[in-house]
Amino acid sequence: MATWLDKPLEEMKEDLSKRDFPKELQDVLEKLESEAKRAPLLKHIKSSLTAYELMKNGVKSYQDCLFLFEYLSELEEMKIKKKKCKSVKDLKIFNDPIHGHIQLHPACQMIVDTPEFQRLRDIKQLGTVYFVYPGAAHNRFEHSLGVCHLAGQFTRALRESQPELGITDVDILCVEIAGLCRDIGHGPFSRLYVSKFLPAINKDIRYRKPSAQMFEHLLRENDLKVRLQLYGLEDVDIQFIKEQLEGAQPTGSTAWPYTGRTKEKAYLYEIIVNNRNGIDVYKWDYLARDCHHLGIKNNFDPSRYMKFARVIEAEGEIQICIRDKEISNLYNMFYTRYTVNKFAYFHRVTCGIELMIIRAFVKANNHIRYKGKEDTEALNEDEGRPKSLDFGIYDCHKNMAAFTKLTDSVLFTIRTIELPDKPPEEKDEKQRWEDLKEAKEIIERIFHRDLFTCVYESQPRAPKDLRKSLDIVEKTDIEETVFQKMKDKTELGEQDIIVKVISLHFGMKEENPVERLKVYSKQSLNEARHLKKEEASRILGPVNFNEVLVRIYSTLSKYKDKDLVEDRSRLIRKAADEILEVKPDPKTPQPET
């Protein structure tokens, strides 16, 4: 039976000319027609080299076909075997608690089997949440495998539903590797290192997770660039992977910012981390994985999203869109994100322990050293190339060789370091003794559950309302403002109290990320439009999308005078209510002052 592929090219061109198709498309078809007439190579007939075609044309048995298939396999794998690489058919299977049995391409296996990737086994996925939720013991290692798996699934789903997109095997492999390596730039206790510890040392620099730099280092140290070429990855593909890891750099221009892939494949940049609306495989894996280990219900189904996703050009941009009826599934996803943020990631005790670890790291920063290498570039141009190859906790982020050695184990390194009973007389050694002694004492408090205590937490406030009550402008730091006001009212300093502002939102602060996603209908598969929340449902989703909480932590040990602890807590609460303009409830009995 004839298929649509049997239609003569000339007839197809005639049909298209009646529809006034673009000249550029006509030129491409004529080019393809001329290439098909040249002397055939193996690749020109490869699609016909199947058992069905061969036997239809005279080969007597399937066993006879195997002679040819084995020869073709040898041709395909000859270069790969010379470089001691695995065949593309040699897929490794992992048994994952979230996704079941997942397979990894040999190129991904090579990356997993490097020290730079294996260090993720010693970095907790949820950082200090493990100190509160005993089940949250999973690591960045398994999360990275899960993101890689979902990235391949999603890209293949798009290729299957829309073969006209021209998604190649190399495209899929690049997206999988980007998903695998997205987190290799994490430091100790995951987000704590880059987002909180580094700014605690130098808040004038904008820090990014150095995953792209670590990826470059990984390729260089393990000589993987040449081996990846055997699987079809060229320099442009390596660049594509790095662009997915670090995102587009602001240039002030509206021109296409990437060189790894052209604008026609812009949708591939939305699979791992979607800066357009936050709907991506990275989030799907960590929500499913974290909820599983935390014991929190996850109501989002990513497999359903994949089946209804389509690539459509909307407002001049080629992007991933979703069927209009699937909006409720997305609100489930963002509400789950809000839930785990509120009850786990920003749990009162979790944040208190984070503050303790940050303070301990700051004290021990210059005294815990890691060896680096000369060939590693400095991460921040503003800070320049490191002058020494001996790096402290902070400086490790400038040198990927040193950074490879920096994991959660640094906490136990500080805790177990041996110090003399008395401080040395030499000035530098005395300072080292004092800093490490204080760091050790803070960490010992964690393991004795003598934690920084949250003695005050405000009600959820809209950011604008909070700024208005504090009488500060948009760019003014709320934490610093509240701390200064608390200091004036209570005469307590940074050694006594810490102010922490918690922001809870759907990922885009005041914006509703779901409304940044274009939708299509069953009747118009290739036409995308903006769908307002009110059109989807009158009762679905929140009205406001951002709220902030102000917390004040006391550093006072619970083993000190209980009356002193209670008096200070009462003083902090009273001052905080006055600063934040919280009026007492007349129905609630007020404590005596």
Side-chain angles (χ1 to χ4, degrees):
M1 180 183 291
T3 68
W4 61 274
L5 286 170
D6 296 319
K7 190 178 184 71
L9 187 59
E10 284 296 327
E11 285 186 26
M12 186 184 78
K13 288 166 60 181
E14 267 184 39
D15 292 343
L16 288 172
S17 64
K18 295 175 184 177
R19 303 185 184 189
D20 194 26
F21 72 111
K23 184 177 183 304
E24 291 82 4
L25 181 56
Q26 183 179 358
D27 292 340
V28 170
L29 290 177
E30 287 177 355
K31 179 184 177 183
L32 293 174
E33 183 181 20
S34 65
E35 287 179 352
K37 291 177 181 177
R38 66 188 177 186
L41 302 174
L42 177 58
K43 62 182 179 181
H44 299 140
I45 62 171
K46 188 178 179 182
S47 59
S48 299
L49 300 180
T50 64
Y52 171 75
E53 290 291 336
L54 293 171
M55 293 174 72
K56 186 176 73 173
N57 286 292
V59 178
K60 292 184 179 180
S61 70
Y62 176 72
Q63 198 65 30
D64 291 339
C65 296
L66 290 180
F67 286 104
L68 176 61
F69 299 154
E70 288 174 3
Y71 171 73
L72 294 176
S73 284
E74 287 178 11
L75 290 180
E76 183 179 4
E77 297 178 16
M78 193 176 297
K79 287 186 178 179
I80 293 178
K81 288 180 178 178
K82 283 183 180 179
K83 293 290 182 180
K84 298 181 180 179
C85 295
K86 295 181 180 179
S87 164
V88 291
K89 299 173 184 176
D90 188 7
L91 299 176
K92 196 167 187 176
I93 297 177
F94 292 82
N95 190 7
D96 183 72
I98 308 303
H99 306 298
H101 292 90
I102 63 178
Q103 294 180 324
L104 281 191
H105 189 282
C108 295
Q109 293 176 41
M110 290 194 305
I111 293 171
V112 170
D113 294 339
T114 63
E116 291 77 13
F117 191 90
Q118 290 291 319
R119 71 184 280 273
L120 296 181
R121 292 183 185 272
D122 195 22
I123 296 178
K124 287 284 188 292
Q125 166 78 6
L126 296 184
T128 59
V129 176
Y130 176 58
F131 288 95
V132 179
Y133 286 83
H138 54 303
N139 303 316
R140 287 282 161 182
F141 181 85
E142 50 262 43
H143 168 55
S144 298
L145 298 182
V147 176
C148 174
H149 169 69
L150 288 177
Q153 268 196 329
F154 193 14
T155 316
R156 289 185 183 91
L158 291 175
R159 180 168 72 172
E160 184 178 343
S161 62
Q162 294 177 270
E164 65 273 13
L165 293 174
I167 298 175
T168 66
D169 289 341
V170 172
D171 289 336
I172 295 174
L173 181 56
C174 287
V175 175
E176 286 181 327
I177 292 175
L180 188 70
C181 296
R182 173 67 188 176
D183 276 353
I184 59 176
H186 267 304
F189 297 96
S190 293
R191 293 183 178 88
L192 178 146
Y193 182 82
V194 172
S195 302
K196 297 168 185 177
F197 167 67
L198 295 185
I201 298 290
N202 188 347
K203 63 181 179 181
D204 295 329
I205 295 176
R206 185 174 177 269
Y207 297 97
R208 298 195 313 271
K209 183 171 57 178
S211 293
Q213 289 76 19
M214 180 62 91
F215 179 65
E216 284 184 344
H217 175 74
L218 180 151
L219 295 181
R220 182 171 57 250
E221 287 296 300
N222 299 280
D223 195 25
L224 291 189
K225 205 166 185 179
V226 174
R227 296 167 71 186
L228 287 176
Q229 288 177 351
L230 301 174
Y231 299 108
L233 271 63
E234 303 296 337
D235 288 344
V236 67
D237 302 308
I238 300 299
Q239 178 64 20
F240 174 43
I241 294 169
K242 287 166 55 182
E243 288 170 347
Q244 293 178 81
L245 296 180
E246 60 187 356
Q249 302 303 313
T251 60
S253 170
T254 57
W256 178 243
Y258 299 113
T259 58
R261 289 295 182 270
T262 60
K263 192 176 181 180
E264 290 72 30
K265 289 192 174 181
Y267 55 89
L268 292 177
Y269 289 93
E270 299 181 355
I271 292 174
I272 304 300
V273 176
N274 191 339
N275 293 319
R276 186 189 301 278
N277 49 48
I279 303 167
D280 49 55
V281 299
Y282 185 82
K283 188 175 279 87
W284 298 348
D285 185 83
Y286 83 65
L287 285 178
R289 195 171 301 278
D290 294 354
C291 286
H292 173 79
H293 290 283
L294 291 168
I296 296 175
K297 187 171 178 57
N298 176 25
N299 293 318
F300 175 68
D301 182 5
S303 61
R304 184 174 176 86
Y305 181 93
M306 292 183 198
K307 292 185 183 300
F308 283 101
R310 283 185 67 78
V311 174
I312 303 173
E313 184 174 3
E315 299 177 359
E317 296 183 355
I318 299 174
Q319 55 190 275
I320 297 174
C321 305
I322 191 65
R323 178 80 178 273
D324 48 12
K325 70 174 185 176
E326 289 306 301
I327 292 299
S328 60
N329 195 20
L330 294 175
Y331 277 108
N332 284 336
M333 183 191 79
F334 283 108
Y335 187 74
T336 300
R337 180 188 184 275
Y338 168 84
T339 301
V340 293
N341 268 276
K342 184 171 185 177
F343 296 108
Y345 308 159
F346 295 119
H347 188 284
R348 290 186 186 191
V349 179
T350 296
C351 292
I353 296 173
E354 278 188 355
L355 296 172
M356 297 179 78
I357 291 177
I358 292 167
R359 186 164 286 192
F361 281 3
V362 169
K363 284 294 178 182
N365 175 42
N366 293 320
H367 312 300
I368 304 297
R369 315 297 293 183
Y370 295 90
K371 289 289 183 183
K373 284 190 176 181
E374 289 184 4
D375 61 351
T376 307
E377 296 290 337
L379 176 61
N380 286 301
E381 294 180 2
D382 295 341
E383 295 182 295
R385 182 184 291 276
K387 296 179 181 179
S388 168
L389 295 180
D390 194 25
F391 298 88
I393 301 173
Y394 171 85
D395 286 330
C396 279
H397 81 282
K398 305 175 187 177
N399 187 285
M400 294 301 102
F403 196 62
T404 301
K405 303 168 186 174
L406 184 64
T407 65
D408 290 2
S409 62
V410 65
L411 190 74
F412 294 93
T413 300
I414 299 170
R415 187 190 181 198
T416 57
I417 198 167
E418 294 291 337
L419 294 176
D421 295 335
K422 295 181 180 180
E425 293 183 2
E426 201 274 323
K427 184 178 178 181
D428 291 342
E429 286 299 312
K430 182 179 180 181
Q431 185 63 53
R432 178 180 183 275
W433 185 89
E434 290 174 351
D435 288 343
L436 286 175
K437 184 175 184 295
E438 185 174 345
K440 282 169 65 68
E441 287 173 352
I442 293 172
I443 294 171
E444 283 300 327
R445 284 184 61 178
I446 294 175
F447 286 95
H448 286 87
R449 305 303 287 185
D450 181 17
L451 309 176
F452 289 179
T453 308
C454 180
V455 296
Y456 179 87
E457 179 177 284
S458 70
Q459 292 182 344
R461 305 274 291 275
K464 290 183 179 179
D465 293 342
L466 180 59
R467 289 182 178 278
K468 186 177 180 181
S469 67
L470 293 171
D471 193 27
I472 58 176
V473 296
E474 185 66 30
K475 293 185 178 180
T476 306
D477 190 291
I478 296 177
E479 287 182 0
E480 184 63 29
T481 301
V482 174
F483 175 76
Q484 289 299 331
K485 289 178 180 288
M486 287 292 298
K487 186 177 179 182
D488 294 340
K489 279 186 173 291
T490 63
E491 298 183 353
L492 297 174
E494 60 183 13
Q495 291 300 316
D496 306 305
I497 59 171
I498 302 174
V499 177
K500 189 76 179 171
V501 175
I502 306 299
S503 182
L504 299 170
H505 48 80
F506 272 21
M508 294 190 170
K509 297 187 176 179
E510 283 81 8
E511 279 194 76
N512 178 4
V514 180
E515 290 194 350
R516 297 187 66 174
L517 174 69
K518 298 292 189 298
V519 301
Y520 68 90
S521 65
K522 187 177 182 179
Q523 292 73 29
S524 303
L525 296 180
N526 293 312
E527 293 182 13
R529 67 183 184 91
H530 172 73
L531 182 72
K532 292 184 178 179
K533 185 169 72 71
E534 292 77 14
E535 292 183 67
S537 171
R538 299 296 299 179
I539 63 174
L540 187 66
V543 177
N544 300 308
F545 295 89
N546 190 13
E547 65 185 27
V548 292
L549 309 171
V550 177
R551 289 180 183 161
I552 301 176
Y553 286 85
S554 170
T555 64
L556 202 63
S557 171
K558 69 180 181 181
Y559 295 120
K560 293 213 171 192
D561 187 335
K562 290 186 178 180
D563 291 336
L564 174 62
V565 172
E566 185 54 40
D567 287 345
R568 181 176 289 185
S569 299
R570 190 183 298 113
L571 177 65
I572 291 171
R573 287 193 288 267
K574 182 181 177 182
D577 279 343
E578 291 175 2
I579 292 168
L580 299 173
E581 297 182 357
V582 178
K583 297 178 180 179
D585 187 345
K587 298 180 181 180
T588 304
Q590 299 302 308
E592 296 180 5
T593 58

